[in-house]
Structure formats: C-alpha cells, structure tokens
Amino acid sequence: MPKILIVCPLTENAIRRYVAAAKKLSLSPVLIVLVGETVAADILNSASVMYIEKLTNSPLELVEQCRNLAIKAVIAGGEFSVAATEFLASQLGLIRCMKGRPDVLRNKYTMRMAFQREGVDQPALLGVAGNMSEVDEVVRKITSYPIITKPADMAGSWFVSLNMTPEEIPANTKPIFEYKTSKVTGLEFAGLCVFEEFFEGDEYSAEVIVFESRILAMYFNKKLLSQLPYFDEIGHICGIALSDPLRNRLQKNIRGVLRAADVHNGILHVEFKLKDDKMVIIEVGCRIAGDKISNLVELKYGVNLEECMILIKSGVEPQLPTASNEYLYGIRFLFGDDKPISSANVQIVENAMEHGNLGTHNLQRTHISNRIGYQICKSRHYDELATTISSLGRVDI
C-alpha cells in the first residue's frame, strides 16, 4: 500500500485526523516523530512510526531512510516541519507545495520582504535584530508607537508583544534570543526579532485550498483574542462571510502570496486583519491550521482539510462540496480555573479537558501553554457565540 509521510505533527488531533484521512484514502500513514515521544496505542494500530533525534530544515538522514519506500506524498504535520517537508519532497521527487524558498512562509522577515515585492497589503516592516545590541539600534530609528515585536520563526503567538514605549522593548525581545530550540521538535530557531507597525483591527484567518496554482476554495474564521498587550488566541468562529469587495481584495492579496512563495499545491493558513475598508496580511503558513480549525471547517462545510491536503500532494484535485449548514461553529479554549458554560442559543458539540503546563516561562494566563481544555460549540447567532467564547479568556488575565 502506498505510504504517506506525516512529518512531526504537533498535536494528537493532527495525528488522528491525518491518520484517519490516509486510511480513508487507502494509504498507509507513517508518522515522523521525535525519539521519546509517546504515540497513543490505538494510533499505532493504524499507523507506523519513524523516529528522529531532532527536526532540521534539511533532514538528509530521513531522505536516505525513505528512498526505497513506496511514498506517495510528504505532509507537514505543523508549522515547524514545513521546510523539512519541502526538502524531503524535493529530494524524493514528490509534489511540493512551494517551488520557491520555504522560508518565505516561515521567516517573518523574509516573508515581509517577499510580500512587499508582490504588492501584498501588510503592516510596515520597521526592522530586524539578531541580538540585544541590534535591538537598541533598531529602537533608535523608530519614531512612532505602539509597535509589534515578534520572533521570526516561532508559532502560536509565542513572544509576540505590543510595545507602547521604547522602554518596554528590551524585556519583550530578550526571550526571543534566549528560547533557541523547539521543545516539541528540536528545531533550532533563527533567533531573529522582527519589528513592525501595529495595525489595530479585528483578526481573521482564511483556509485556502490551492491546486495547480488555482484557488479552489477559501473558508473564513474570526479569531477571538485575549486583551492587549497579548495576542493569545482564546477561540475561533468558523463560517463568517466577507463582503464581495473584501473577499476580492483578500483573493488579490493571496495571489500575491502565491507568487511570493511560488506556491502551486497545498493549503494555506492566511492570517489577516480588517478595520473599516483596510486590510493587512499578518502572516501565512503553508500547512493546515492548528487550534482544531480543520475540525470547525469540516463541521461547517463538510470539507476535511487533511483529506484535501493528501489528495493535493498526491496529484489529485479534491472534489469540494458547495453547500454548508446554517450554523456557525466555534471553539473556546479553557484556562486555569475556567469552567465550561453554555448559553440558551449556543449548543455544545464537544467538551474536552486536557492537562496544560501552567506557569510555563511565567507567561500570561491565556497563553497557549496554559490551556486546560476546550469546547466546540455551534449557534445560528454570531453575537451569542462570540460572547460565549470570549467570556472566559477576557477575565482575570
């Protein structure tokens, strides 16, 4: 049976969804995971595992292990394995998402420069620094606040900070240079801090299916964030609509992204902000979104993004349903002492309690590492759903 390589999936949800999708498509899933990582016993009944010591962007040892296997496609299991997946696909003669440099959609500094060349609407790039001395040099040139500082190549809003004054910047940027290695994959970070304009607006994402350079579909989600100065994602709502002018503008920007990274096949997770009639692209990932967004898309639209990704990377155009149901679907993350609640107009689809790493790095209460569970909900009423989801993460931060 042809094999599908799933490289360093970041969550059990991603593992289960990819394994189920592969089995449905009569393919044999192979998980690439770090030595010492535990894979649930029931998953091992459906998938085989290859262990690596650490993830690198050019995993030559994996290439040699895979050359004689009947591999049909290589899939990135998360943000950190995008570059490695592109390298493996190239070396094994398989379909890549990008024919250009993977770091265009991994390194935020490279991304800003590439997007600028293609006319993508985005926040202004103010500078980049590789150490605290360079931070001081960049800060001296900045004349207007607030500004954003963030690491070039992490994920999940780690160390993304809103700086109201120059005095706040040293404390907010120092962790970017100290946190050098992903504890999940062993990937070494670039250790670069990106400075950019702060665009104050509502935040959204689009899950964009691309096949042979054609945009087949875009599914929109509203992000619900913690109170500033943090940008923690406390929930998402799937199924929102954009006006035709905004949809057209977003599509124009996405075409610029496709050119910038030479994307031909795959699924993009596009994060963008809106205020009035202005739009900016915050960042783009060349992989399926985390935070169980793919679960929400399937509930709303009947589209399994993991199946789509496997098909696309196998050279097959996915056949997408055109209808959706009348509900909006949302996910709310639980933190600390939060308790699941419900509303008369909000139905709970799924409850789950998990174990978070409370207090990790002394990060704020609503940081991703402090999640202890989640609820997936549905409602016909956006305002009711948004209020229910937002009520937890916006108190006692």
Side-chain angles (χ1 to χ4, degrees):
M1 185 182 295
K3 294 178 170 56
I4 296 291
L5 243 58
I6 305 160
V7 185
C8 290
L10 291 177
T11 65
E12 184 173 309
N13 185 63
I15 292 174
R16 290 188 180 281
R17 289 185 64 84
Y18 268 124
V19 167
K23 300 299 284 187
K24 182 178 177 180
L25 296 170
S26 299
L27 298 167
S28 177
V30 181
L31 305 173
I32 308 296
V33 302
L34 260 61
V35 171
E37 185 173 339
T38 301
V39 179
D42 64 309
I43 294 175
L44 293 175
N45 293 331
S46 301
S48 56
V49 179
M50 294 175 62
Y51 291 96
I52 58 174
E53 291 290 338
K54 63 182 294 186
L55 180 68
T56 68
N57 289 332
S58 303
L60 290 168
E61 71 287 353
L62 268 179
V63 173
E64 295 310 312
Q65 292 179 58
C66 297
R67 283 201 188 278
N68 296 322
L69 301 180
I71 297 173
K72 194 172 185 65
V74 186
I75 310 289
E79 177 66 16
F80 296 152
S81 55
V82 168
T85 298
E86 293 295 292
F87 179 83
L88 279 168
S90 174
Q91 294 294 308
L92 297 173
L94 302 172
I95 293 175
R96 291 179 285 166
C97 290
M98 297 171 273
K99 294 184 180 178
R101 294 165 47 193
D103 63 338
V104 171
L105 297 185
R106 269 291 294 139
N107 185 298
K108 276 45 169 203
Y109 174 67
T110 307
M111 184 183 296
R112 286 279 172 259
M113 299 298 289
F115 286 2
Q116 183 176 334
R117 290 191 292 270
E118 296 298 337
V120 175
D121 296 324
Q122 62 179 345
L125 176 66
L126 303 176
V128 63
N131 53 53
M132 293 306 294
S133 295
E134 292 179 1
V135 166
D136 293 339
E137 293 177 17
V138 174
V139 170
R140 283 195 291 269
K141 299 175 184 177
I142 296 174
T143 58
S144 179
Y145 286 83
I147 68 160
I148 297 294
T149 53
K150 61 185 182 182
D153 57 352
M154 291 188 195
S157 298
W158 275 77
F159 306 131
V160 177
S161 300
L162 176 67
N163 302 269
M164 304 302 295
T165 68
E167 289 72 27
E168 296 175 20
I169 292 177
N172 287 336
T173 56
K174 187 179 179 183
I176 294 172
F177 307 120
E178 295 176 339
Y179 196 80
K180 298 179 179 179
T181 306
S182 166
K183 290 181 169 56
V184 180
T185 63
L187 184 71
E188 300 292 332
F189 294 125
L192 289 176
C193 175
V194 176
F195 297 75
E196 62 185 35
E197 168 193 30
F198 172 57
F199 179 88
E200 187 174 6
D202 290 333
E203 192 161 346
Y204 300 81
S205 71
E207 316 317 311
V208 183
I209 300 177
V210 180
F211 181 74
E212 294 183 349
S213 304
R214 292 179 289 119
I215 298 174
L216 301 186
M218 299 188 295
Y219 304 111
F220 307 121
N221 307 286
K222 176 71 171 66
K223 288 190 177 189
L224 298 170
L225 303 178
S226 62
Q227 291 176 330
L228 294 176
Y230 304 112
F231 298 88
D232 300 328
E233 295 173 5
I234 60 175
H236 304 270
I237 296 176
C238 179
I240 64 163
L242 293 184
S243 67
D244 286 343
L246 285 175
R247 186 185 180 96
N248 291 338
R249 187 176 306 173
L250 178 61
Q251 191 166 62
K252 179 181 177 182
N253 278 312
I254 291 173
R255 293 193 186 283
V257 170
L258 299 184
R259 293 192 303 271
D262 205 6
V263 177
H264 293 263
N265 294 285
I267 296 177
L268 299 180
H269 175 60
V270 180
E271 299 182 352
F272 61 101
K273 279 188 172 184
L274 297 174
K275 186 175 184 181
D276 300 325
D277 62 345
K278 188 174 182 182
M279 171 186 296
V280 295
I281 304 299
I282 300 301
E283 60 185 58
V284 180
C286 194
R287 39 78 186 176
I288 290 176
D291 278 0
K292 297 181 174 64
I293 287 176
S294 62
N295 300 58
L296 302 182
V297 169
E298 186 168 14
L299 287 167
K300 173 64 180 174
Y301 297 104
V303 175
N304 185 300
L305 294 180
E306 288 79 9
E307 286 184 27
C308 289
M309 181 70 94
I310 293 173
L311 287 169
I312 290 168
K313 296 298 290 288
S314 302
V316 178
E317 180 174 349
Q319 301 304 303
L320 304 175
T322 56
S324 63
N325 62 56
E326 70 273 24
Y327 286 98
L328 296 163
Y329 289 84
I331 186 167
R332 59 184 306 194
F333 301 108
L334 305 177
F335 306 90
D337 296 327
D338 288 336
K339 299 294 189 297
I341 61 174
S342 61
S343 162
N345 292 320
V346 176
Q347 300 176 45
I348 306 303
V349 175
E350 181 181 346
N351 271 318
M353 299 302 293
E354 300 168 337
H355 296 290
N357 299 314
L358 298 180
T360 302
H361 297 286
N362 297 314
L363 293 167
Q364 62 275 10
R365 175 176 177 268
T366 52
H367 192 273
I368 187 172
S369 64
N370 290 331
R371 293 175 183 173
I372 61 168
Y374 66 89
Q375 288 181 295
I376 293 179
C377 332
K378 69 177 183 179
S379 177
R380 293 182 176 89
H381 309 280
Y382 172 84
D383 289 341
E384 190 84 17
L385 189 57
T387 299
T388 299
I389 292 173
S390 298
S391 62
L392 294 184
R394 294 189 182 278
V395 297
D396 299 329
I397 294 177

